[in-house]
Amino acid sequence: MHRSSAMAGSELVFHTNPMSRGRIVRWMLEELGVEYRTQVHEYGKDMKSPEYLAINPMGKVPAIEHRGVVVTEVAAICAYLADAFPEAGLAPALDDPLRGPYFRWLFFGAGPVEAAITANSLGQLPPADKAGMVGYGSYDQAMDVLEQAAASASPWLLGERFSAADVYVGSQVDFGLGFKSIPDRPAFNAWAQRLRGREAYRRARAKDDALMPKRD
């Protein structure tokens, strides 16, 4: 755990499983460098228990508890944490023009990218004549726009400034390359390599890997 003088005495509880999108939130927490307590939940009865359903009625991880507030949904958690701990500099200020592109890419990842990847993986993409009914248009269109964002990341989505948008959207690219749910393109690989080089990324990965079930 990493300590911060900010929010002293206010416990931050991180509900997760190492085989989940909780890995994204873990990375975000490590980038912040704040103190937090990890609560690991097993799939099945644990996540569907009355105690955990009181935290997240969806019965899924990740979730956080902070100052009496529960936040679920990875993009929302990243955005919340960036604003809750502004000293880390992971979100532009309210009056900063970069706030616009920051939210644009953060929620492009949470909306069109997530939906397009899921539909493609399940073989449930709409026919071309129905593409206008879904927010991502088509899988190829969503991937092309995501590629444009990755190609313009120099080195990050907001230029020289690393932000929670890089954590969230960059994780989708990083995971997608590994699981082959997004296409193998030079811009994606270059961005992912820069992300993997961050100390907080490596530290978060090591912590989650240590929680993985041991194989015989």
Side-chain angles (χ1 to χ4, degrees), residues 133-205:
M133 299 179 64
V134 294
Y136 55 85
S138 70
Y139 172 78
D140 289 338
Q141 182 181 10
M143 293 302 103
D144 288 345
V145 175
L146 181 61
E147 182 183 21
Q148 292 172 25
S152 65
S154 55
W156 313 119
L157 287 174
L158 303 183
E160 293 297 321
R161 181 169 186 173
F162 182 84
S163 73
D166 290 288
V167 173
Y168 180 67
V169 188
S171 289
Q172 290 179 305
V173 169
D174 188 27
F175 292 168
L177 289 170
F179 289 102
K180 302 188 184 306
S181 59
I182 70 166
D184 187 353
R185 298 180 183 178
F188 291 150
N189 282 294
W191 188 25
Q193 285 297 325
R194 292 193 295 275
L195 294 167
R196 294 167 191 161
R198 293 187 66 83
E199 181 181 347
Y201 173 100
R202 295 194 296 267
R203 190 167 58 241
R205 182 162 185 163

Side-chain angles (χ1 to χ4, degrees), residues 21-22 24-25 28 62-64 71-83 90-91 102-111 114 164-165 167-169 171-172:
R21 290 177 176 83
I24 303 174
V25 176
M28 182 69 188
I64 63 167
V71 187
T72 65
E73 315 315 315
V74 178
I77 293 171
C78 288
Y80 172 88
L81 289 172
D83 285 345
L90 293 180
Y102 165 73
F103 277 128
R104 174 193 180 186
W105 294 121
L106 191 65
F107 293 104
F108 178 72
E114 174 80 13
V167 173
Y168 180 67
V169 188
S171 289
Q172 290 179 305

Side-chain angles (χ1 to χ4, degrees), residues 3-23:
R3 298 187 178 278
S4 170
S5 59
M7 309 297 181
S10 178
E11 185 179 40
L12 197 167
V13 182
F14 170 42
H15 298 273
T16 190
N17 181 288
M19 294 183 290
S20 75
R21 290 177 176 83
R23 282 182 172 257

